[in-house]
Amino acid sequence: MSQDVLAGLAVILEEVAGVDPADVTPEKTFIDDLDVDSLSMVEVVVAAEEKFSVKIPDDDVKSLKTVGDAVSYIQRAGVAA
Amino acid sequence: MTTTPRQVVVTGLGATTPLGGDVASTWEGLLAGRSGARRLTEEWIEQLPVQIGAPLATELPLARVEARTLDRSQQMALVAAREAWADAGSPEVDQERLAACVASGIGGVITLLTQHDVLREKGARRVSPHVVPMLMPNGPASTVGLEFKAKAGVHAPVSACASGSEAIALGLDIIRAGRADVVIAGGTEAAIAALPIAGFAQMQALSRRNDSPESASRPFDKARDGFVLGEGAAILVLEAAEHAAARGARVYGALAGAGISSDAYHVAAPDPTGAGAARAVRAALRSASLEPTDIVHINAHATSTPAGDLAEAVALRTALGDHIDAVAVTSTKSMTGHLLGAAGALEAVVSILALRERIVPATRNLDALDDEIALDVVSIDNRKIGTGAALSNSFGFGGHDVCLAFTV
């Protein structure tokens, strides 16, 4: 798992939802563990697309339950690009 | 059969205004006769014919993350509501018996404008997913309702510059009707932006005294030339009297009644006969079971427009008859500017404090009373008043007339 992507996501989550970066670990779920609501999740996705130069279609966002899901997705999408 | 309506009392006050970040500093500013108006310094101001306004006196005490999904009008409402709720003793209440009525005249116009810029410059994908909840006119009511878990209804009556007063009147109705025991009620407005200023200026509604902002808002004065656009929020905790008594709450006074009417005359111009406004005043007296002679003080709508102030003076004489000569009238807007949808809420707070402290803050900038204004307008020095009742008027574009009646 990329530590760079994980750290980048932590920066976004702090900016968008005030999540403590220390709480951003792969097993955490966005909604239940980190208290990121569905609207803020949209902001996280848009910010991640920009930061990591990837596309995350809305249909795929639903499958990103945990921080680890998002890191893996971004890594795969980055490689594909 | 006649029944006595449920008594409604005021147990908490909160505000953030051009004079101060809370009720105490705002009241102190009013008693000192300070002006909250100043020359605006935003980069867009140079293109506008009106370059003055009355912005908040202080930064809003909110965390960055808390503020970023709220329009400025919601942020201000939240700050004022927290103060009011704490002032009421942060009571433990049945959430299913708690309602919120928080109005705005214009809604999240700053969000609307800034997000429209984002759409045009960066595209749809960059528009904030929070934009709709931030710009909807019921946004501030929702913010306050969520903060205090109000489950008996969340309301946002929209009636331009009468909105704040109408929200309080609705709160009264809700408690009288038994639909809630406690209502967090008031108004908020954050519209100091280029488009609203340009629009009000095109209506010839704003003062053009760009070189002397502190003397620009001059209600009832011969040389008045329009209002000064202010911003802010004010919130009252309204409570059924028996509910307040049962928890031993400190009571400021009673919201004794409210009257609402409409001019059916013109969308923006006041009816020069003041007939609609007079009907609202008389309706408030009936609602409060008061006689004209009970009134000792009136906090006038008095925005400092030539036509509006005159029509209100005519209306007050129509409604109260010759007793109006014995009533101490003042205009809070001479110091705060016009807070639009928050104005009536702030003036409700000020009216209650004036009755309770038995002192009416003087109207600022009243150098020479307009010869056609036959009112006893308190000027230069604050005035002591006796016990009695107070009225607070609010009128809005659309022909809205609202009058609130308070007793202590």
Side-chain angles (χ1 to χ4, degrees), chain B:
Chain B
M1 188 182 82
T2 58
T3 55
T4 306
R6 229 176 161 203
Q7 295 296 301
V8 176
V9 295
V10 178
T11 56
L13 303 175
T16 183
T17 76
L19 294 177
D22 58 15
V23 170
S25 56
T26 298
W27 177 244
E28 187 261 330
L30 291 169
L31 291 179
R34 286 209 312 270
S35 170
R38 63 202 66 170
R39 198 169 172 93
L40 298 174
T41 55
E42 285 82 352
E43 80 283 355
W44 41 257
I45 200 67
E46 289 302 323
Q47 65 183 312
L48 299 176
V50 172
Q51 303 182 344
I52 55 177
L56 287 187
T58 60
E59 298 281 317
L60 292 165
L62 295 173
R64 183 192 61 82
V65 169
E66 187 171 44
R68 67 186 299 284
T69 58
L70 300 176
D71 179 74
R72 183 167 172 80
S73 63
Q74 295 171 302
Q75 295 174 20
M76 298 191 306
L78 182 58
V79 167
R82 284 177 177 166
E83 182 192 357
W85 194 251
D87 189 47
S90 301
E92 291 287 326
V93 299
D94 179 353
Q95 294 172 350
E96 295 186 7
R97 301 290 297 163
L98 173 66
C101 299
V102 181
S104 160
I106 301 185
V109 65
I110 292 176
T111 293
L112 180 65
L113 293 168
T114 55
Q115 288 292 310
H116 189 241
D117 288 344
V118 169
L119 174 65
R120 290 198 302 187
E121 291 163 14
K122 298 180 178 171
R125 186 67 172 163
R126 295 292 295 278
V127 168
S128 170
H130 303 284
V131 67
V132 171
M134 288 171 73
L135 67 81
M136 62 191 192
N138 55 319
S142 168
T143 301
V144 171
L146 282 167
E147 172 79 2
F148 298 102
K149 306 297 177 213
K151 296 177 181 173
V154 167
H155 310 272
V158 175
S159 48
C161 305
S163 300
S165 285
E166 189 157 346
I168 293 166
L170 178 59
L172 175 70
D173 285 346
I174 287 171
I175 295 176
R176 280 184 171 177
R179 298 204 299 274
D181 298 320
V182 182
V183 179
I184 304 169
T188 185
E189 202 79 75
I192 298 182
L195 184 72
I197 293 175
F200 282 124
Q202 286 292 77
M203 298 176 84
Q204 313 298 317
L206 296 177
S207 171
R208 306 269 168 143
R209 292 173 189 268
N210 288 334
D211 295 328
S212 54
E214 296 192 346
S215 59
S217 182
R218 40 197 318 115
F220 300 126
D221 186 79
K222 265 183 187 165
R224 68 190 185 277
D225 71 329
F227 71 80
V228 172
L229 180 59
E231 65 172 0
I235 298 284
L236 296 80
V237 176
L238 307 177
E239 198 164 345
E242 77 273 10
H243 189 277
R247 70 179 185 89
R250 179 268 325 270
V251 171
Y252 282 101
L255 172 57
I260 296 178
S261 68
S262 43
D263 284 353
Y265 173 80
H266 185 272
V267 68
D271 179 348
T273 70
R279 278 199 308 280
V281 172
R282 283 197 297 258
L285 292 173
R286 277 197 307 278
S287 167
S289 299
L290 292 169
E291 297 297 326
T293 50
D294 294 321
I295 305 302
V296 295
H297 168 49
I298 294 175
N299 190 310
H301 182 61
T303 64
S304 181
T305 63
D309 293 7
L310 182 56
E312 183 172 13
V314 172
L316 288 173
R317 186 162 293 277
T318 301
L320 298 191
D322 289 341
H323 178 69
I324 192 62
D325 294 324
V327 176
V329 178
T330 199
S331 169
T332 300
K333 295 183 184 80
S334 64
M335 292 170 273
T336 61
H338 189 354
L339 273 56
L340 308 182
L346 175 59
E347 289 154 27
V349 169
V350 173
S351 299
I352 285 260
L353 290 175
L355 273 186
R356 187 178 166 87
E357 306 295 326
R358 295 199 191 175
I359 188 162
V360 173
T363 301
R364 186 188 161 93
N365 298 323
L366 185 54
D367 296 336
L369 185 68
D370 184 333
D371 295 332
E372 296 185 64
I373 304 279
L375 295 175
D376 180 7
V377 184
V378 178
S379 68
I380 304 172
D381 294 321
N382 302 328
R383 188 185 301 174
K384 288 190 166 56
I385 53 171
T387 54
L391 301 175
S392 179
N393 283 339
S394 295
F395 312 126
F397 289 156
H400 307 274
D401 305 301
V402 182
C403 179
L404 303 176
F406 297 96
T407 57
V408 295

